[in-house]
Structure formats: C-alpha cells, structure tokens
Amino acid sequence: MKYKRILLKVSGGALSGEKDFGFEKDALDRITDEIIKASNAGVEIAVLVGGGNIFRGRTAEDWNIERAEADNIGMMATVINSLILRGALVSKGAKDLRVMTPIPMDTVAEPYIRLRAVRHLEKGKIIVFGGGIGQPYVTTDYASLQRALEIRADVVLMAKQGTDGVYTDNPSENLNAKRYKTLSYKEAISKNLKVVDQSAFILAQDYNMPMYIFDFNQKNSILDICEGKNIGTFVGNDCEINMY
C-alpha cells in the first residue's frame, strides 16, 4: 500500500449529489461504500467534511451576514454533515468510528485532541472531523491540510463533485482547457488555480504534503490512489507538469 494513512476531504456538495441542497441517498451510499472498502483494506482514514449542501457563502451575502458569523454557521453545517456521515457509515456496518470537533458539543461528538485522533487511527478507527478547525475566516480546504499535518497523514485526497482533476482553465467555459496529470504547488499557486483554496495549496507546499484532486464518482477511487494508481491530478513539490 503506497499510502497507509489518509485525510479525505469530502465537500458538502458531494453529500447532496444531484440536489442543490441537503442529502441524496445514492451519493451517501457511494461515499460510504468507498470509505469502508478502503478501511477494510487496511487504510487508516480520517474524513473532513464541508458544509456547502446546507449553508453557502452566497447565502450569507444575500442576507448581509458578516463573514465571522457566516463561518460559524458554516461550521455548524459541517458538524451536521459529520453526524449524517457517521450514521450512514454505521448503517453499512462500520463499527469503530468517531466524530471529533474542536467546538465543544460532548453529547454528540468527541472533542478534537490531536494525539487522541492519532491513537484512534492506529487502532483502525475511522474518524470524521466536523467543525473545521473551530475558527472563522478559514476554509474547509485549509482545515483539511492542517488536520492532515497534525495526524501525520501520508496524503490528502480532495474528493470533488463534478470535476475529475485540475484544469488549465474552467472546462465548462473553455473547451480547450487541459487536465493536469501531475502538477507542482508552485505552478498551482502562481496560476491561481481555484479548484482548491490557495491557502490550502500554500500550507501543503510549505510542509510538503502531497495531494490528489479527483472525482468521487469514479468507482474504487480511494483504494486505487492508496495502492499507487494515477487518479485525477496529483499535486506535490518539485513535481513535473504533465497533462492527460
């Protein structure tokens, strides 16, 4: 196995599937099946979920909610998503699973303690992180990289909805846009590629954390990446730029 311990970032949009809001059973089934399959193969998995299927930044703008307040609402949305994901995983037979959040809510989730999280992973438990890092002005992309570094993950897997990697331009607007197979952080940052938050790219570059950006709809994607197969776009330091 190329990657033994992973941080999987799941966007809120991945939970809603084809819907604009909420949850879709087919999407949850697909996500949970992929997580359980990789876990059963011996991969240590931590998942960090977004909240865009419940609350988005544009909603805050429409209602003129200030950024700090909006981010607090968004963090609550990610906690709801983490509990939904836990329930769906347990219904599929996952037994050793923990939800952890930096926001105190002891009746529904464990407090996030870094070494406790590492210990859970060492014991084979799946962890779902809710609440981001508990602070406003920080995206869940950035939180994914921070948590990955804290738990000593081997790689970050950015599961995207509707895109199968990083492109030179928006493929829905530019039919000549090309998809990267491998990409350096330096290139991603200098070209301001927006598939992942720039602050997340910078943190990953600074601490040499490899990243895959891929389409979660591709079957066996998590396990294939962990076994060393090329899925989506690989981003790393000192990485040659290659196209599909």
Side-chain angles (χ1 to χ4, degrees):
M1 197 72 71
K2 183 176 181 180
Y3 301 115
K4 175 67 175 176
R5 180 178 297 171
I6 68 170
L7 187 295
L8 173 67
K9 163 66 190 305
V10 177
S11 67
L15 301 180
S16 61
E18 299 300 320
K19 298 180 179 180
D20 292 330
F21 180 86
F23 308 94
E24 184 181 77
K25 185 179 185 303
D26 288 345
L28 278 167
D29 283 341
R30 183 168 57 251
I31 291 167
T32 52
D33 286 346
E34 293 296 316
I35 291 172
I36 290 172
K37 189 183 303 178
S39 178
N40 289 342
V43 180
E44 297 174 0
I45 303 176
V47 185
L48 190 142
V49 290
N53 59 317
I54 297 175
F55 186 82
R56 293 182 180 275
R58 64 172 177 263
T59 306
E61 292 173 1
D62 290 343
W63 294 348
N64 199 28
I65 299 174
E66 64 177 306
R67 172 66 187 271
E69 189 69 32
D71 283 357
N72 286 331
I73 297 169
M75 283 187 279
M76 294 299 100
T78 70
V79 174
I80 292 171
N81 282 344
S82 68
L83 296 176
I84 288 285
L85 189 56
R86 177 175 66 184
L89 284 164
V90 170
S91 75
K92 292 287 187 68
K95 297 179 181 179
D96 293 326
L97 193 147
R98 297 289 186 273
V99 169
M100 305 186 84
T101 171
I103 304 167
M105 45 183 65
D106 295 348
T107 58
V108 296
E110 290 185 14
Y112 172 70
I113 300 172
R114 185 181 71 85
L115 293 179
R116 182 185 292 177
V118 171
R119 185 60 177 152
H120 285 331
L121 292 169
E122 291 172 347
K123 291 181 176 180
K125 294 178 173 65
I126 298 170
I127 300 175
V128 183
F129 291 128
I133 60 171
Q135 297 293 331
Y137 301 102
V138 177
T139 67
T140 49
D141 282 349
Y142 183 91
S144 299
L145 266 297
Q146 179 166 328
R147 288 289 183 256
L149 291 166
E150 289 173 347
I151 64 171
R152 302 191 291 272
D154 298 321
V155 67
V156 173
L157 306 189
M158 289 280 185
K160 294 293 181 177
Q161 183 78 355
T163 183
D164 54 358
V166 182
Y167 284 78
T168 55
D169 198 1
N170 188 336
S172 63
E173 298 176 359
N174 182 358
L175 297 179
N176 294 318
K178 296 181 179 180
R179 180 162 60 111
Y180 291 99
K181 186 174 184 179
T182 58
L183 174 67
S184 68
Y185 283 119
K186 182 179 180 180
E187 179 82 358
I189 294 166
S190 66
K191 291 194 172 181
N192 196 28
L193 299 175
K194 296 182 181 296
V195 68
V196 171
D197 183 72
Q198 284 283 297
S199 64
F201 276 145
I202 292 169
L203 186 62
Q205 177 185 241
D206 288 347
Y207 291 93
N208 198 28
M209 174 62 70
M211 181 190 302
Y212 282 87
I213 300 163
F214 66 102
D215 186 354
F216 216 164
N217 290 328
Q218 185 170 339
K219 196 172 182 180
N220 299 323
S221 52
I222 297 176
L223 189 55
D224 282 348
I225 290 173
C226 291
E227 291 177 343
K229 298 176 183 176
N230 284 323
I231 302 292
T233 300
F234 173 80
V235 192
N237 282 334
D238 302 321
C239 187
E240 293 185 2
I241 299 172
N242 292 303
M243 302 289 185
Y244 280 96

